[in-house]
Amino acid sequence: MKSILFTAFLTVCCLMQLQAQVRNLESCIQTAWENNIQVRQTLLNGSLAEVDLIQARNQRFPNLSAGSSLSLSGRSVDPTNNQFAANSFFTNNYSLNSNVLLYNGGIVRKNIKRALMSRDAARLQQDDVKQFIALQVANAYLNVLFAQENLNVEETRTNITRRQIDQLERLIAGGLRPNNDIYEVKATLAANEQSLVTAKGNLELARLSLNQSMRIPSDERFDLVIPEIVLAALEDPFQMSSEEVYLVAAALQPSLKNSTLQVDLAVLDEEIAKASMLPSLGLGGSVGTNYSSLGKEVVGEEEVVVTQPIIINDVETDVGFKQTVPQVEDKAYGSQMIDNVTYGYGLSLTVPIYTNYRNKASIRRAQIAKENAILTDKNNRDLFRQQIEQAIVDARNSRVQYDAAQASVEASKQSFENLQLSFDQGNVNSFQLNIAADQFNNAQLQSLLAKYDYIFKMKIIDLYMGKKLQF
């Protein structure tokens, strides 16, 4: 029973491992997003934008600060009684201060709005980077599929040549063909095997490119899901209107959304710069206490006789007077801290009158930045329109090239099969058959190139239209 369970466990593990070694396009794109440094940097930019937003929102609340000092003074004013002290003394004080901005032309509110827009811009930047990476991975993915199909074509071509040699050897043995015919076919086989080696190398390079685009080790092996793409089911590029595609794509493209958002940010920056010309009103308050080593307190009273000399009939006589004298002693630290508490609050108004052209310069810079953002947005949209037009033209050309390549494959295949039958019957020589085989092989190669080029060009349009890249 244990052996059966162990065998079942190993079987499940093997199946899971096999399953993990197969990737589709969506899985490859997701891995590239997770490993790409640019995507991580855009995530960090988003985190910074969140921090800026929290800071902007907290500008609406009062601040609070605490302070303390311990000092040794000599021949200075005692802060506890404002009297001059000739000898040295220690002082210690504590304070709390708070200020709140009541009005500054709406700059706080505008800064919060700006932080929200900056956060949205960071997210759009991330989407734009991820879209670019997805397109790179899709291109590398299709290159691997093309290299694999090309390898299959070369393997088939090599096997056909080997069968030709077998057939030719039988004909030579039967006396139907001269011995020299075998050398030409063997030379063709050597060339086919060389092409096969090249195809294997191209496949490895294509796999390496895909692994690099995914940011994974080059020796990590996995199989790709071969999509069942029916080219006839793809949208006909000749039925597409560049204007309609542009209008849909422009509303979805993250780079254009970000471009428009940069214009809005520039407008807001101009408003913030203009608000710096307005007065600002603030409310502040403070509370504090202090201690002095010279601090004293009255602990009682004592009646004493104070003598005062007076002159009576030219005779000096001492006369005593009773006086009540307070008894003092050093005041305790805690008592001073309680009794010496002070507080205050007030309003502050700041009116900018002349700032050495600083505020006006800020306004002018903001206006120039706004004009530049508007021009940049217009330029981005013009370039994007050109990209859409180019993408549609490229897709149409790829479709035409694919249709022509398919026709060439059918024609060269028919020619090759006819010559193959004639060759088997001894009616044509190997040179004629090799020419037909080369034509058929080249037609297949051009068809593969046109096929995957057409698929990639259509996927570019799909990406512009907001469709997910998947097979």
Side-chain angles (χ1 to χ4, degrees):
M1 183 65 181
K2 291 183 178 179
S3 62
I4 296 176
L5 292 176
F6 182 73
T7 303
F9 174 76
L10 289 180
T11 303
V12 173
C13 290
C14 291
L15 289 175
M16 292 178 62
Q17 184 177 6
L18 290 174
Q19 185 178 6
Q21 292 175 347
V22 179
R23 289 178 177 268
N24 57 14
L25 177 59
E26 191 173 2
S27 172
C28 293
I29 291 175
Q30 187 63 39
T31 300
W33 286 346
E34 293 172 357
N35 297 333
N36 191 272
I37 293 178
Q38 284 183 292
V39 174
R40 294 181 182 180
Q41 288 176 327
T42 56
L43 288 174
L44 291 177
N45 291 338
S47 299
L48 288 175
E50 289 287 350
V51 173
D52 292 339
L53 177 59
I54 294 174
Q55 180 183 3
R57 285 173 171 169
N58 278 271
Q59 293 300 310
R60 297 174 298 183
F61 308 126
N63 61 19
L64 181 63
S65 61
S68 177
S69 67
L70 178 64
S71 60
L72 174 63
S73 304
R75 299 185 59 81
S76 180
V77 176
D78 185 353
T80 60
N81 54 23
N82 292 326
Q83 294 182 0
F84 183 80
N87 54 334
S88 299
F89 61 95
F90 282 101
T91 58
N92 182 207
N93 66 70
Y94 299 92
S95 63
L96 284 175
N97 297 276
S98 180
N99 292 277
V100 60
L101 188 63
L102 300 179
Y103 175 76
N104 68 337
I107 292 180
V108 171
R109 175 177 52 82
K110 289 181 173 64
N111 280 333
I112 294 174
K113 183 179 179 180
R114 193 186 194 287
L116 286 168
M117 296 167 64
S118 297
R119 183 185 64 179
D120 294 339
R123 292 173 178 173
L124 290 172
Q125 182 187 17
Q126 178 185 348
D127 293 340
D128 189 39
V129 170
K130 292 175 72 174
Q131 185 185 75
F132 177 75
I133 293 171
L135 200 59
Q136 282 186 322
V137 174
N139 187 30
Y141 191 100
L142 290 173
N143 285 338
V144 173
L145 296 183
F146 164 75
Q148 182 63 60
E149 287 202 35
N150 184 45
L151 177 60
N152 295 337
V153 170
E154 294 297 340
E155 288 176 344
T156 302
R157 179 186 183 186
T158 303
N159 291 332
I160 291 175
T161 305
R162 290 187 180 124
R163 289 195 299 270
Q164 290 176 2
I165 291 177
D166 294 339
Q167 177 67 15
L168 188 58
E169 287 176 343
R170 288 193 295 269
L171 293 174
I172 292 173
L176 299 176
R177 302 299 291 265
N179 292 334
N180 293 337
D181 285 358
I182 195 68
Y183 301 119
E184 184 178 349
V185 182
K186 286 184 176 181
T188 301
L189 177 61
N192 291 344
E193 290 176 342
Q194 183 180 2
S195 299
L196 182 61
V197 172
T198 302
K200 290 180 179 179
N202 291 336
L203 177 58
E204 290 301 314
L205 289 175
R207 286 188 175 276
L208 175 61
S209 178
L210 178 59
N211 283 31
Q212 289 177 343
S213 66
M214 296 167 60
R215 301 296 181 96
I216 61 177
S218 59
D219 56 354
E220 184 173 330
R221 309 297 296 184
F222 53 89
D223 293 329
L224 298 181
V225 174
I226 300 178
E228 296 182 0
I229 301 177
V230 181
L231 298 186
L234 296 177
E235 189 174 355
D236 188 358
F238 288 95
Q239 301 300 322
M240 293 181 177
S241 167
S242 59
E243 182 64 24
E244 292 178 358
V245 174
Y246 169 76
L247 292 177
V248 174
L252 300 173
Q253 195 68 11
S255 61
L256 292 187
K257 289 183 179 180
N258 192 12
S259 181
T260 301
L261 193 57
Q262 295 304 317
V263 175
D264 297 336
L265 280 170
V267 173
L268 189 58
D269 286 340
E270 181 184 5
E271 295 177 1
I272 293 174
K274 289 180 178 180
S276 64
M277 302 289 290
L278 300 175
S280 61
L281 179 65
L283 174 65
S286 64
V287 58
T289 185
N290 52 42
Y291 162 83
S292 172
S293 60
L294 299 180
K296 305 293 183 180
E297 65 176 341
V298 178
V299 296
E301 295 180 347
E302 180 183 4
E303 192 175 79
V304 297
V305 176
V306 178
T307 61
Q308 176 68 37
I310 62 175
I311 298 175
I312 301 176
N313 296 327
D314 296 330
V315 178
E316 183 175 324
T317 303
D318 291 332
V319 179
F321 300 93
K322 290 183 178 182
Q323 290 185 356
T324 300
V325 179
Q327 300 294 315
V328 297
E329 61 182 23
D330 292 340
K331 193 171 184 179
Y333 183 88
S335 297
Q336 288 196 47
M337 287 297 174
I338 295 174
D339 295 341
N340 294 340
V341 172
T342 59
Y343 61 89
Y345 54 87
L347 292 172
S348 62
L349 178 64
T350 302
V351 181
I353 298 176
Y354 177 69
T355 59
N356 303 95
Y357 193 69
R358 185 175 62 252
N359 289 346
K360 289 186 177 180
S362 298
I363 295 173
R364 185 54 187 152
R365 290 191 189 96
Q367 291 173 341
I368 295 173
K370 181 186 69 174
E371 294 172 3
N372 186 52
I374 293 173
L375 292 176
T376 300
D377 179 59
K378 185 179 185 306
N379 184 61
N380 291 339
R381 292 183 178 277
D382 290 343
L383 291 176
F384 185 69
R385 182 186 294 274
Q386 294 174 10
Q387 292 174 3
I388 293 294
E389 294 170 348
Q390 184 67 44
I392 293 177
V393 172
D394 289 342
R396 290 173 178 174
N397 290 337
S398 296
R399 174 63 180 272
V400 172
Q401 291 173 4
Y402 174 72
D403 291 340
Q406 282 295 96
S408 177
V409 168
E410 292 299 325
S412 60
K413 179 182 178 182
Q414 187 66 38
S415 175
F416 172 72
E417 289 177 349
N418 291 336
L419 285 175
Q420 181 71 54
L421 291 174
S422 298
F423 177 81
D424 294 340
Q425 297 171 359
N427 297 328
V428 298
N429 57 36
S430 58
F431 178 76
Q432 293 173 306
L433 183 62
N434 288 335
I435 291 178
D438 288 338
Q439 291 175 346
F440 181 43
N441 182 74
N442 291 332
Q444 287 180 304
L445 179 60
Q446 293 302 319
S447 177
L448 287 176
L449 285 171
K451 170 186 174 183
Y452 284 104
D453 183 64
Y454 178 50
I455 293 173
F456 183 68
K457 296 297 173 52
M458 292 303 297
K459 288 300 177 182
I460 291 177
I461 297 177
D462 287 346
L463 190 66
Y464 287 150
M465 298 289 285
K467 299 178 182 179
K468 183 182 293 186
L469 281 180
Q470 59 182 5
F471 294 139

